[in-house]
Amino acid sequence: DPKQGNILSFFKRV
Amino acid sequence: MLELRLVQGSLLKKVLESVKDLVNDANFDCSATGFSLQAMDSSHVALVALLLRSEGFEHYRCDRNLSMGMNLNNMAKMLKCAGNDDIVTIKADDGGDTVTFMFESPTQDKIADFEMKLMDIDSEHLGIPEAEFQAIVRMPSAEFARICKDLSSIGDTVVISVTKEGVKFSTRGDIGTANIVCRQNTTVDKPEDATVIEMQEPVSLTFALRYMNSFTKATPLSNQVTISLSSELPVVVEYKVAEMGYIRFYLAPKLEE
C-alpha cells in the first residue's frame, strides 16, 4: 500500500 | 489595537465550520494585508491556509502585526452565536490575552459581545513554494463534495487522475471498486456549474479520503472548488471566500515506498 506523505517533507519551516 | 468589521459575518462562521475539525489550535495573524491563518492538522498530513484581505472588511484597523492563538472549536462555538445576517467585528488590544467578537443584527436592534481567551501557540510557519501544476480542475463544489462522500463509503483512499478524457476519481475497498469520471463542461447556463480542466500533462495521485471529506466542509463558502495537482506534491483544494480571499487545503499524497 502507498505510504501517507507528510506536509513537512514538502514545505519547510520559515 | 485591532478592529475588523465584516458586514458579511456569515463568511467567518462558515470559515470556522470548515476548519474546526481539521485543526485544534491556530494562530490568526493580522497585518496590513489581511486576516490570515496557516495551520497543520495534528498528524501533519494536511495544511490549511486562509486569507481574508483587508479590503474585504468594511473597517480594518490593525496598528501593528498581531498573532492571536485561538482554539478553533471554541471560536466556532462563539461564532455560532452570531446570526447569519449579523455584522461581525473582531476586536483585540495589543498584548492583551482576549479577543472580542461583536455581533450586530442588520437592524442594529441587537448587539452582543463575546470575549474569548487567547492562548499561546508555538507558531510554525511553513514556506509554500509557488508551484507549476500539471493539472488544474475547477468544478462545482457540491459535485466534488458528493464524489468524496460517495467514494468514502466504498474505500479509504481516492486516486485522482487527470487525462485528456477528464478527471477520474477512483477508489477500492472490501466490497468493490468505484470510478467517477467528470469531463470538461463549459456549456452551462450558470458559470458556477462549469467543470474546467486545464491539463499540462497527465497526472495521477492518491489521497486519504478522510481529509478530502473534511475539506468539503468549506463547500458553503463557494459554488466552485479548484483542485491543483502535480506529481508527488500536495494537492491544493481551494475555495474562494466571496471577493475577499480564499481558504486553501493542502494534502500530502500517499506515495509508493
Side-chain angles (χ1 to χ4, degrees):
Chain A
D1 274 358
K3 188 170 174 279
Q4 177 60 60
N6 187 308
I7 283 291
L8 292 170
S9 59
F10 298 99
F11 303 148
K12 299 293 167 223
R13 289 186 173 93
V14 289
Chain B
M1 166 94 187
L2 174 147
E3 201 171 281
L4 319 181
R5 190 167 197 261
L6 183 62
V7 173
Q8 215 180 330
S10 61
L11 290 178
L12 201 59
K13 285 165 68 86
K14 290 175 188 172
V15 162
L16 263 294
E17 287 306 307
S18 70
V19 295
K20 72 178 171 68
D21 296 332
L22 188 67
V23 175
N24 295 328
D25 306 319
N27 281 316
F28 277 88
D29 297 313
C30 199
S31 72
T33 312
F35 192 60
S36 65
L37 168 151
Q38 191 204 75
M40 282 181 286
D41 77 300
S42 58
S43 52
H44 298 173
V45 170
L47 177 141
V48 55
L50 164 77
L51 174 65
L52 302 176
R53 290 184 203 93
S54 49
E55 306 87 76
F57 291 84
E58 191 209 32
H59 171 71
Y60 192 94
R61 177 178 172 187
C62 175
D63 295 344
R64 63 187 68 186
N65 291 359
L66 202 60
S67 191
M68 296 183 290
M70 302 196 211
N71 174 288
L72 299 191
N73 232 320
N74 292 344
M75 186 178 174
K77 276 183 200 170
M78 293 209 163
L79 288 169
K80 264 193 176 168
C81 303
N84 280 329
D85 301 326
D86 281 3
I87 298 162
V88 173
T89 302
I90 304 169
K91 288 189 211 179
D93 290 321
D94 295 334
D97 57 2
T98 60
V99 59
T100 298
F101 303 107
M102 190 172 90
F103 310 140
E104 296 168 70
S105 65
T107 49
Q108 305 283 313
D109 54 355
K110 181 179 166 191
I111 297 171
D113 57 84
F114 288 67
E115 189 180 85
M116 190 177 83
K117 290 174 192 157
L118 293 175
M119 53 198 297
D120 283 321
I121 299 167
D122 282 334
S123 111
E124 250 194 333
H125 216 77
L126 303 184
I128 301 169
E130 285 287 322
E132 286 280 319
F133 293 101
Q134 286 171 281
I136 299 174
V137 177
R138 206 177 76 230
M139 64 188 294
S141 58
E143 183 62 45
F144 177 63
R146 173 73 198 261
I147 290 169
C148 292
K149 181 168 165 278
D150 287 350
L151 293 187
S152 60
S153 67
I154 314 288
D156 297 329
T157 63
V158 58
V159 179
I160 306 180
S161 311
V162 182
T163 63
K164 58 181 182 351
E165 310 301 324
V167 55
K168 184 167 79 168
F169 302 89
S170 310
T171 193
R172 61 175 59 242
D174 294 340
I175 63 167
T177 64
N179 296 293
I180 300 170
V181 177
C182 298
R183 294 203 171 86
Q184 172 149 301
N185 178 14
T186 53
T187 57
V188 289
D189 293 339
K190 289 180 275 178
E192 61 259 37
D193 293 334
T195 297
V196 179
I197 300 168
E198 291 170 35
M199 188 193 79
Q200 307 300 322
E201 50 188 311
V203 59
S204 181
L205 286 160
T206 305
F207 300 100
L209 271 169
R210 184 165 71 85
Y211 287 94
M212 285 291 181
N213 262 316
S214 172
F215 303 162
T216 62
K217 291 189 174 144
T219 305
L221 280 167
S222 177
N223 289 324
Q224 287 251 311
V225 61
T226 305
I227 305 156
S228 304
L229 299 146
S230 259
S231 287
E232 304 200 357
L233 275 184
V235 62
V236 190
V237 179
E238 177 180 307
Y239 297 83
K240 294 270 183 244
V241 181
E243 300 302 313
M244 66 186 304
Y246 57 77
I247 184 159
R248 290 180 186 149
F249 299 99
Y250 296 80
L251 177 59
K254 287 179 165 239
L255 298 168
E256 294 297 338
E257 285 184 86

